[in-house]
Amino acid sequence: MWIKSHALAINSALILMSTSIINTIGHELAHYITRIYFHLQPELHHNYVQSSVVGTPLQEMFSAAAGPLFSLVFGIVILWIAINQMSPSLSKLFMLWLGLGGILEFMGYIVIAPIAKAGDTGKVFDYFGFPLLLSLGLAIVSFVAIYLFFVRLAPQFAHYKGQQKFDQRANAKQLFIYPIFVTIILGTLVSLPVVTWISLLPTIFMPMAYFSIMGAYFELKITYAPVQVDKVSFPLVIVTLVIVVTFRLLV
């Protein structure tokens, strides 16, 4: 009975956890492939790419930019498919979180650039000689853009309910609060060990941006949701386990 009444939370946590890892792997693969192209002898790990050869400043800049740029393009494409081509379902919820995660990987790296100069966008800004004030300005603009964009997507989550009787507050906990904190905690644990603390910044802080969607979700004043999620998806459990194991094998 408990599992049935919390199935939306469990499925949402599995989705957010697995899509976060997929975005991380895709992000690092973009770095890896770019460095292969430049013959820099890279090694792919779970949340970073290590090279035995240092490229030219231009090559290093392109390698750093590849991850965030891939995340942005991937996120836009996946989110477009989810919104325009899919009916409300767990599959659509998976694609929504996957697309949101990709866009957040890009925007979030701009937000942390002023304090993480060794990070991807920090390296790009350094290559072009961006002054600190410009980096801070871009970080603020990116932060506001994330908030405004995510707020507009709140209606996409209005189709789901955890119990037969609709309860907006209970659904918000299952769609956002529980999954976000589970992803932060478990995502941090599966990411260990890390070469530098900067690697943990996206894992710990970026998911908090999703609370902006929850705030807008409450403002919708929903009274009905057509899709009831009352059982845990077995395929989703398997997919999540495979993704987590694959991620850990890259340590």
Side-chain angles (χ1 to χ4, degrees):
M1 184 64 180
W2 184 91
I3 292 178
K4 182 176 181 179
S5 62
H6 291 80
L8 180 58
I10 296 170
N11 284 304
S12 294
L14 291 171
I15 288 172
L16 191 51
M17 180 70 181
S18 57
T19 54
S20 295
I21 294 176
I22 289 172
N23 274 306
T24 298
I25 293 175
H27 180 101
E28 298 305 330
L29 272 172
H31 290 311
Y32 179 73
I33 292 171
T34 305
R35 297 190 77 83
I36 285 179
Y37 176 80
F38 290 131
H39 306 289
L40 300 179
Q41 300 178 18
E43 294 179 1
L44 178 64
H45 298 276
H46 63 317
N47 56 11
Y48 68 98
V49 172
Q50 187 176 35
S51 288
S52 57
V53 178
V54 178
T56 66
L58 183 62
Q59 290 174 335
E60 292 295 328
M61 186 277 291
F62 273 120
S63 297
L69 288 176
F70 167 80
S71 296
L72 177 63
V73 174
F74 178 75
I76 290 173
V77 171
I78 295 298
L79 197 58
W80 184 89
I81 293 173
I83 293 173
N84 295 286
Q85 304 295 321
M86 302 181 73
S87 300
S89 64
L90 279 180
S91 296
K92 176 169 183 171
L93 198 58
F94 187 98
M95 294 289 279
L96 281 172
W97 282 122
L98 185 60
L100 285 168
I103 293 172
L104 186 59
E105 283 268 350
F106 174 79
M107 303 295 286
Y109 269 96
I110 297 178
V111 171
I112 67 174
I115 62 172
K117 295 184 178 181
D120 296 339
T121 45
K123 292 177 180 177
V124 174
F125 289 1
D126 182 66
Y127 176 84
F128 288 105
F130 284 12
L132 179 59
L133 284 179
L134 179 56
S135 296
L136 286 171
L138 290 172
I140 293 171
V141 170
S142 183
F143 181 85
V144 173
I146 290 171
Y147 173 79
L148 295 176
F149 180 66
F150 282 8
V151 162
R152 289 178 62 88
L153 291 174
Q156 297 294 326
F157 294 85
H159 306 290
Y160 307 95
K161 61 183 179 180
Q163 300 183 32
Q164 189 170 6
K165 184 179 179 180
F166 183 81
D167 184 333
Q168 189 171 358
R169 184 166 295 276
N171 286 341
K173 291 180 180 179
Q174 296 203 43
L175 280 168
F176 304 107
I177 296 178
Y178 300 147
I180 289 171
F181 282 114
V182 166
T183 299
I184 291 172
I185 295 170
L186 294 184
T188 300
L189 292 175
V190 300
S191 295
L192 298 174
V194 294
V195 174
T196 172
W197 63 274
I198 293 172
S199 299
L200 291 178
L201 286 180
T203 304
I204 296 172
F205 292 106
M206 283 189 188
M208 294 182 185
Y210 297 134
F211 282 121
S212 60
I213 307 175
M214 186 182 73
Y217 175 86
F218 278 126
E219 294 179 1
L220 295 175
K221 306 300 181 184
I222 313 162
T223 58
Y224 172 75
V227 181
Q228 182 182 356
V229 180
D230 57 4
K231 61 182 179 179
V232 177
S233 169
F234 180 73
L236 182 56
V237 172
I238 298 301
V239 167
T240 304
L241 287 174
V242 169
I243 291 170
V244 171
V245 170
T246 301
F247 189 63
R248 290 303 301 171
L249 288 175
L250 293 174
V251 172

